[in-house]
Amino acid sequence: MTVRPEQLRSHQWYGTEGLRAFSHRARTRQLGYLPDEHLGKPVIAILNTWSDINPCHVHLRERAQAVKRGVWQAGGFPLEFPVATLSETFQKPTPMLYRNLLAMETEELLRSYPVDGAVLLGGCDKSTPALVMGAASADLPTVFVPAGPMLPGHWRAEVLGSGTDMWKYWDDKRAGLIGDCELAELEQGLARSPGHCMTMGTASTLTAAAEALGVTLPGASSIPAVDSGHDRMAAASGLRIVELVRQDLRLSRILTAEAYEDAVATVLALGGSTNAVIHLIAMAGRSGVRLTLDDFDRIARAVPVLANLRPGGRYLMEDFHFAGGLPGFLSRLSDVLHLDRPTVAYDTLREQLAGALVHNDDVIRPRSRPLAGEGGVAVLRGNLCPDGAVIKHIAASPHLLEHTGPAMVFDDYRTLQRTIDDPALALTRDHVLVLRNAGPKGGPGMPEYGMLPIPGYLLKQGVRDMVRISDARMSGTSYGTCVLHIAPESYVGGPLALVRTGDSITLDVASRSLQLNVPDGELEKRRSAWTAPPVRYERGYGVLYGEQITQADTGCDFAFLAGPGKAADPYAG
């Protein structure tokens, strides 16, 4: 099918003979454009999350120009829209609080303006799911342009991975192994260029998931942000989106149930971030696909971990890119993928992966020599998390994957920070650190508090990991035996709210179990005495967030956006 000019969505704004169309054309002349530059051509919205405060996206101003170049070359008409930037490094209490806001902005911009297709520019953690969620709801032809990983970090003789080595050396500082001078040097070398974290953290996990879903060009997710190939990929995305509009290949044709299953398999085989569980469930919901924690657990048992990438492995994203990138990686998972589904670049994923090769078997492992026999994230159940919890066991300490110990409970993160180093707590390596009121509502926004700090006096004794549980998330660059996303959260009265210091807790990852060893009768007494905390917000966006946010196991979307139903295109007059 080839869409004729009068069938373009933008024709409603520009192509009729009424007063409104006359006004639209006149205002486009006001912008300085000639009729021949846009009339009858596919209008492409470039949604750009560039910002001066977002180091992961600071190069996207230039990449938008490359996308425009491609759109012009293909005979389209590009229009750049600035949208909210979600900077993981600076936005508080967490950009997760605003993921759904960017998703709303994306959806409404695409619906309310005269555009026929979209190119989405993002990459830092929450921006990828937010943009895809909004675009899925708007359902126009769409291509995603990942921001790309930054260059590897360097300090003296060490190659650094941002995030992962930040945690490591901060603990070294607290343990007295390095001082202020070394820390100042590390500040200079940890993050050396534009781009998102170059470990298999949340950003790399979600952009890889976007590529696996089929909404990027092949290999796009691992191209280093400052590589000239990244500029060429952006231009090629501009070329491609015009063709997708002419074919009327909408996002709903790409984002199928099979595509989401393949994205889950990809994330698990990469040893990717636990945050992908929440985001993929939310993205699937916007596509009308039901994805659950049970799907993650089922698929995890069927795929090995093949990516030897930090924090669970050795290498960084630039190594992964030159080892074959996601096309090479997926070629080693072809038996578990749905190869006959379409992508934005090819009629089938099978065609897209044809000829893909792996050039370094230590970075992308063969199936005969996996980094781990099962996917890197496990889903836990038990009386402490009746609706589920997750653990990235590939980045945990093996000796702690089956552990029983006494709880030390912290009611909020500030109290934890203030008291964790107090010797009066008498914490031992066997304790289970418990943080509550850090979930979707309690956080608010479910901040990345889940890698709870080890007490300084234990660090000095050589303890580098403990069992830690919370209703929070943790950075995808983090590591340790951290149980996360406990649902329902403590703030709404989930069982985590009933735990008391000294209670025995058992973690058994092999059995997928997290259990509070307290009699049911005692828990019922505690529940009857529990009172709900005060609401977090009394005005503004926070009120909407508090009223509509769902729990971690269902994706933390807004209830009124995640439900069924369609919104009609506006009447252009």
Side-chain angles (χ1 to χ4, degrees), residues 16 21 56 84 95 118 151 169 177 221 249 279 292-293 333-334 336 349 387 389 453 459 489 522 547:
T16 65
C56 306
L151 294 175
Y169 284 109
L177 300 177
S221 63
L249 185 60
H279 296 313
T292 69
L293 290 179
L333 290 174
S334 59
V336 301
L349 180 61
D387 292 337
L459 288 172
E489 64 176 308
E522 172 62 21
E547 290 174 350

Side-chain angles (χ1 to χ4, degrees), residues 55-404:
C56 306
H57 295 180
V58 74
H59 59 304
L60 292 185
R61 176 180 274 178
E62 288 74 31
R63 295 302 175 270
Q65 297 307 309
V67 174
K68 289 179 183 179
R69 189 172 79 230
V71 171
W72 286 120
Q73 289 290 330
F77 179 64
L79 294 171
E80 185 177 355
F81 291 77
V83 293
T85 194
L86 304 182
S87 175
E88 195 65 40
T89 47
F90 291 104
Q91 194 169 28
K92 305 300 178 187
T94 168
M96 183 64 177
L97 185 67
Y98 302 103
R99 184 200 67 180
N100 297 342
L101 184 62
L102 175 55
M104 291 169 65
E105 183 181 19
T106 298
E107 176 181 353
E108 298 306 330
L109 279 176
L110 295 180
R111 180 172 291 118
S112 60
Y113 279 97
V115 298
D116 303 299
V119 177
L120 315 173
L121 275 62
C124 180
D125 289 21
K126 316 307 176 292
S127 63
T128 298
L131 291 166
V132 174
M133 287 164 67
S137 296
D139 197 24
L140 298 178
T142 303
V143 175
F144 184 77
V145 173
M150 68 178 87
L151 294 175
H154 282 276
W155 176 60
R156 298 182 180 178
E158 299 290 327
V159 176
L160 304 177
S162 63
T164 302
D165 283 302
M166 176 187 74
W167 311 115
K168 174 185 180 296
Y169 284 109
W170 186 253
D171 278 350
D172 281 356
K173 172 67 164 59
R174 294 178 64 227
L177 300 177
I178 63 173
D180 291 338
C181 293
E182 290 86 355
L183 210 63
E185 291 177 13
L186 282 159
E187 285 183 13
Q188 305 299 318
L190 192 61
R192 297 173 48 236
S193 77
H196 59 67
C197 292
M198 76 303 256
T199 53
M200 186 46 69
T202 304
S204 294
T205 301
L206 266 296
T207 54
E211 184 174 336
L213 285 169
V215 298
T216 79
L217 296 188
S221 63
S222 63
I223 303 172
V226 296
D227 194 301
S228 63
H230 197 269
D231 215 39
R232 296 192 298 272
M233 177 270 294
S237 298
L239 285 163
R240 185 59 186 159
I241 187 58
V242 176
E243 182 59 29
L244 293 177
V245 170
R246 288 177 173 146
Q247 295 175 6
D248 196 28
L249 185 60
R250 294 173 182 259
L251 207 50
S252 55
R253 296 259 310 279
I254 306 296
L255 297 179
T256 61
E258 291 79 12
Y260 281 104
E261 285 215 352
D262 289 352
V264 171
T266 300
V267 164
L268 293 168
L270 286 168
S273 169
T274 51
N275 288 308
V277 178
I278 292 175
H279 296 313
L280 281 171
I281 289 173
M283 292 158 69
R286 294 297 190 94
S287 301
V289 172
R290 187 173 184 269
L291 189 65
T292 69
L293 290 179
D294 291 336
D295 293 317
F296 278 85
D297 198 51
R298 169 179 56 83
I299 295 170
R301 296 173 188 271
V303 297
V305 178
L306 301 182
N308 188 9
L309 299 171
R310 299 184 203 181
R314 172 184 174 188
Y315 294 99
L316 297 173
M317 286 304 297
E318 188 169 8
D319 304 307
F320 181 78
H321 179 66
F322 291 112
L326 204 71
F329 179 82
L330 293 180
S331 73
R332 293 189 165 173
L333 290 174
S334 59
D335 59 308
V336 301
L337 301 176
H338 300 85
L339 296 173
D340 295 319
R341 62 181 176 86
T343 72
V344 297
Y346 286 88
D347 290 337
T348 66
L349 180 61
R350 187 186 308 277
E351 293 176 65
Q352 182 161 313
L353 298 181
L357 298 172
V358 174
H359 310 297
N360 187 324
D361 283 342
D362 196 39
V363 178
I364 301 174
R365 295 286 185 87
R367 293 287 283 272
S368 60
R369 193 167 57 91
L371 203 69
E374 290 188 352
V377 174
V379 175
L380 307 176
R381 304 278 183 178
N383 69 345
L384 198 48
C385 53
D387 292 337
V390 300
I391 182 171
K392 188 174 181 178
H393 55 93
I394 192 175
S397 299
H399 72 280
L400 291 174
L401 296 180
E402 184 178 352
H403 179 84
T404 297

